[in-house]
Amino acid sequence: MNGLMKGLLASSVMALLITGCGGAPKSKKETVVFWQFFPAEQIQPVLDEFAKQNPDLDVQMEQLTWQSGLEKITAATAAGNVPDLCELGSTWFPRFASQGALADWSDSTAPLATGMVLADMARVNGKAYGLPWVVGTRALFWNKDLFAKAGLDTSKAPETWPELLEASRKINALGGGVAGYGVNAGERYVLFKKFMPYGWGNGGTLLTPDGKGSAFDSRANLEALDFLLTLGKNGRVDKQDQLDEAFMQGKLGAQISGAWLFRKIPKQAPDLRYGVALVPKPATDHGTHASFAGGELLASFAKSKNPTGAWRLAKFLASREAALLLCKANQSVQPAVVGAVADAYYQSRPNEAVMVEQLASAVPTPNHPAWLDMESAIEDEVEKALYGKETAATAITNASKRIDALAKTTEPAAR
Amino acid sequence: MTARAAKRRGRFEPATWILLSPWILALIVFVAYPFGFSFALSFYDYSPLNPAAAKFLGLANYAEALKDPLFWTALKNTLVFVFGTIPFTTSLALGLALGLKRAFKGRDFYRAGFFLPTVVSIVVISLVWKGLYAPEGPLSALAQSLGLVPPRWLLDPNTALASIMAMDVWAASGYYMVIFLAGLQAIPEELYEAAALEGASSWQRLRHITLPMLKPTFLFVLVVNSVRSLQIFTEVFVMTGGGPLHSTVTSVFYLYEQAFYKFRLGYASAIAYLLFSLTLLLAFVQVKWLKLEGPKS
């Protein structure tokens, strides 16, 4: 059982050794230690470009893995041996920011705010602790062949809840292992991102404007959950990778999924005839095409050794050109800059362009220090409703009570 | 042991210390220090993001754990896992060892085959089984071809934990098979020869020679497997993330979440020490039950 603590200590010692060695002056160049999660072949060309423009800075990039990266950053923070610049996921971000681990970038980022998509993602308690780098959202993926088979219009995607429901019903009725709509379950930190687009689109919210209480128990969210449950009855409930697999095999009519499919589909299902559309809204005259917005932020730590170098690198990475370069290589994320959709790359890729368009109405999660607990609470209760363990109304009320209790925790850092 | 040999053993040359020092150092840094540190942490409110703000809480973390319904769910799941897998793993391992003890053509191939899961990363095994359990996967296809409605395996709260347990029995048996094989080989052949002369049946030989002689091996297998099973984590992390509906949240998975998603290292440490106490207790009961001083190996 002490494997955990062993691992933590081991990684902190490793971090110490690595940063300790890395800090040794090899040349007159100033060093910027940068930790990030993108594969080296995607990020390196961007860093090479930075090196060309900034010959006085030597970037020491280290690639983290999604399996252990957060642990490593956590251990490094505990040990005080932090990198100068670090990529942080938007759901982890509020914890780091609210506990004073990150450098306050309010002044430096202020002039850039107007050109940024989702600038609020970096704001905690009115201050900016980072720079949005690349962002991602979820949109509706629909199978045109199945729509045709079910006698539906294939010239346009479903735009409203009733249209989506009708399509799911008809496709689900095709039989032969084909399901109408894919609802997520059986894993964490996914279901929320597929449920709340309907909640937000219907005018639902999570927290009160001051962030000190829950606003989740609303008619709007209840209607959204009822809708999701109806979709579930006209489709299948499964894990994300299974839903993606079924979609690529032509066995799933529609699902809300992410841009990672743009890399997978050409490789695994090059003949799939599919479309990408904004998440349907409740009715033509009501609601919005909301979706979940998440992303990666660049942040420096309060204890970073080279804050100015970190800021220079961050500003470059988040710039339109650099971010586009990375996003084109990666395809799963979009630049967090206004007007990226105008780029020739997206003009020639309509499905990927929908993702950029979807970002405009996508909603980031609240930057509350207890956010991950709140997300778990929503997923717990929504999943119970999906499995028929409680009614939609009870699920919404219970989730709201739990969120409220978490929001009222006056000093979340002490938890 | 002669007196001279004892004296020779007791004497530590400086070279001994020098040669041992890397190991001792590693033990202190990676085992003893974290062991003590996490014990101290269990009395604190400690976030790794802000260590300076640590607050002494006394026993509050322990009290909170005992009142936390998810802690109990996790503990229940862990115990179901331990007591649900160990009888199967042990009997399967013993059965394999007995079957693969005799010499026959291809024996080494089978021995290596059953041992193989031990040398494969548990992450790889978990990913493969996740695919086997997928609704489009081979297990569901098999059930369908037999005219059965395939269970939802990892997606059904009633079968998810059992599915992971079945995989674990398969993956773990090979290792304990090797331990049993070693135990079997240590049983003197004369005992069987004598029994054969007395006209003992093969069942009687198993019941009155093999099983009693394997007692130390049983103890070792039970204790080691209990300690390992109580720490079940990777399989859950890879295959279900604790879901659906918390049906596969285990103690170590829960404390991992508390430590690395919620940054509550103090609380996670308290859970770790509660689990540690349980592990000690279980090992103690097993040793008492088999009435032995301890494994010889």
Side-chain angles (χ1 to χ4, degrees), chain B residues 39-297:
Chain B
F39 185 64
L41 275 190
S42 71
F43 301 103
Y44 279 84
D45 170 12
Y46 180 94
S47 162
L49 303 183
N50 194 356
K55 262 201 310 249
F56 184 74
L57 293 180
L59 290 168
N61 283 330
Y62 290 92
E64 187 187 337
L66 298 180
K67 276 188 288 184
D68 180 350
L70 258 180
F71 167 79
W72 290 106
T73 306
L75 193 64
K76 189 200 87 194
N77 290 340
T78 308
L79 291 176
V80 167
F81 183 88
V82 171
F83 290 105
T85 55
I86 289 183
F88 291 101
T89 311
T90 312
S91 21
L92 185 62
L94 179 64
L96 289 172
L98 289 170
L100 295 172
K101 188 191 158 208
R102 314 172 279 121
F104 64 92
K105 206 169 172 230
R107 182 186 70 171
D108 292 347
F109 173 79
Y110 284 105
R111 280 187 179 181
F114 288 117
F115 186 70
L116 194 64
T118 310
V119 292
V120 178
S121 155
I122 190 69
V123 174
V124 173
I125 292 177
S126 303
L127 284 172
V128 170
W129 279 71
K130 198 178 163 191
L132 290 179
Y133 283 134
E136 262 92 39
L139 280 174
S140 297
L142 183 74
Q144 260 162 350
S145 69
L146 295 173
L148 303 168
V149 178
R152 304 267 288 145
W153 308 115
L154 298 173
L155 279 162
D156 184 335
N158 298 317
T159 54
L161 187 60
S163 304
I164 299 180
M165 286 160 62
M167 177 193 85
D168 184 80
V169 169
W170 171 82
S173 300
Y175 174 72
Y176 299 106
M177 169 196 80
V178 171
I179 310 279
F180 276 123
L181 271 173
L184 286 173
Q185 261 139 30
I187 303 176
E189 268 306 309
E190 301 91 84
L191 293 178
Y192 292 107
E193 284 162 15
L197 282 176
E198 300 286 339
S201 69
S202 58
W203 164 251
Q204 285 170 323
R205 272 175 277 164
L206 177 71
R207 173 70 189 80
H208 296 291
I209 301 174
T210 313
L211 294 184
M213 292 299 286
L214 276 180
K215 220 171 166 188
T217 318
F218 267 110
L219 181 70
F220 177 79
V221 166
L222 280 181
V223 172
V224 168
N225 201 4
S226 308
V227 171
R228 184 195 66 93
S229 302
L230 282 165
Q231 299 180 53
I232 167 89
F233 167 76
T234 316
E235 296 85 335
V236 172
F237 184 76
V238 175
M239 295 172 78
T240 61
L245 303 180
H246 301 298
S247 60
T248 58
V249 171
T250 61
S251 295
V252 175
F253 183 82
Y254 187 54
L255 79 86
Y256 170 84
E257 272 212 324
Q258 292 297 326
F260 287 105
Y261 278 96
K262 317 218 158 142
F263 299 128
R264 301 186 60 202
L265 275 190
Y267 186 51
S269 302
I271 298 173
Y273 268 87
L274 287 171
L275 186 65
F276 176 61
S277 323
L278 184 73
T279 312
L280 272 187
L281 184 74
L282 198 63
F284 181 75
V285 169
Q286 285 166 336
V287 172
K288 277 280 162 198
W289 177 53
L290 283 167
K291 293 192 186 74
L292 279 165
E293 289 185 334
K296 294 269 184 334
S297 25

Side-chain angles (χ1 to χ4, degrees), chain A residues 75-371:
Chain A
T77 313
N81 286 288
V82 284
D84 296 312
L85 188 66
C86 190
E87 171 185 349
L88 288 175
S90 54
T91 44
W92 313 333
F93 183 75
R95 296 250 179 192
F96 282 86
S98 62
Q99 298 202 13
L102 303 179
D104 182 356
W105 274 1
S106 304
D107 294 340
S108 10
T109 55
L112 302 176
T114 50
M116 281 190 290
V117 174
L118 302 167
D120 280 349
M121 222 161 59
R123 299 201 149 270
V124 175
N125 301 329
K127 285 181 179 166
Y129 291 95
L131 196 56
W133 182 18
V134 290
V135 284
T137 184
R138 308 286 180 271
L140 187 78
F141 283 68
W142 57 291
N143 182 318
K144 292 184 177 173
D145 284 335
L146 288 179
F147 269 64
K149 241 190 221 173
L152 295 154
D153 183 1
T154 56
S155 66
K156 69 176 192 56
E159 284 172 11
T160 61
W161 291 7
E163 284 174 33
L164 179 60
L165 189 56
E166 193 210 345
S168 304
R169 271 202 183 117
K170 287 187 172 164
I171 293 170
N172 211 49
L174 292 173
V178 168
Y181 184 88
V183 176
N184 291 76
E187 61 193 332
R188 313 201 77 167
Y189 309 112
V190 183
L191 178 56
F192 169 82
K193 295 162 186 160
K194 307 308 180 66
F195 159 65
M196 212 45 209
Y198 297 122
W200 281 316
N202 199 26
T205 48
L206 299 164
L207 297 178
T208 53
D210 63 3
K212 287 182 180 153
S214 166
F216 188 71
D217 195 351
S218 65
R219 201 195 158 112
N221 284 337
L222 178 57
E223 285 170 359
L225 182 53
D226 275 328
F227 177 59
L228 188 81
L229 297 180
T230 320
L231 282 175
K233 290 191 185 101
N234 292 282
R236 63 190 270 179
V237 177
D238 214 325
K239 294 178 200 286
Q240 186 61 51
D241 53 353
Q242 296 304 323
L243 292 178
D244 285 342
E245 195 58 40
F247 185 74
M248 289 190 287
Q249 288 178 5
K251 287 184 171 176
L252 187 63
Q255 66 157 332
I256 293 182
S257 194
W260 55 83
L261 283 177
F262 296 133
R263 283 172 75 82
K264 274 192 177 175
I265 291 174
K267 281 184 207 154
Q268 296 179 32
D271 299 327
L272 187 73
R273 280 185 62 235
Y274 74 102
V276 181
L278 301 181
V279 172
K281 58 183 191 176
T284 338
D285 57 351
H286 168 61
T288 58
H289 296 287
S291 187
F292 160 83
E296 304 303 310
L297 295 118
L298 293 165
S300 190
F301 292 87
K303 288 183 182 163
S304 291
K305 292 180 194 76
N306 189 353
T308 42
W311 169 247
R312 278 169 64 190
L313 178 58
K315 202 177 158 192
F316 170 82
L317 289 171
S319 72
R320 185 190 161 108
E321 292 68 30
L324 266 169
L325 192 59
L326 178 67
C327 294
K328 287 174 195 175
N330 177 272
Q331 285 185 294
S332 298
V333 288
Q334 289 81 40
V337 289
V338 173
V341 75
D343 190 83
Y345 174 84
Y346 289 113
Q347 290 302 310
S348 62
R349 285 174 173 77
N351 282 343
E352 288 184 46
V354 171
M355 281 292 170
V356 184
E357 207 184 316
Q358 176 72 77
L359 275 170
S361 48
V363 186
T365 53
N367 267 348
H368 192 282
W371 171 247

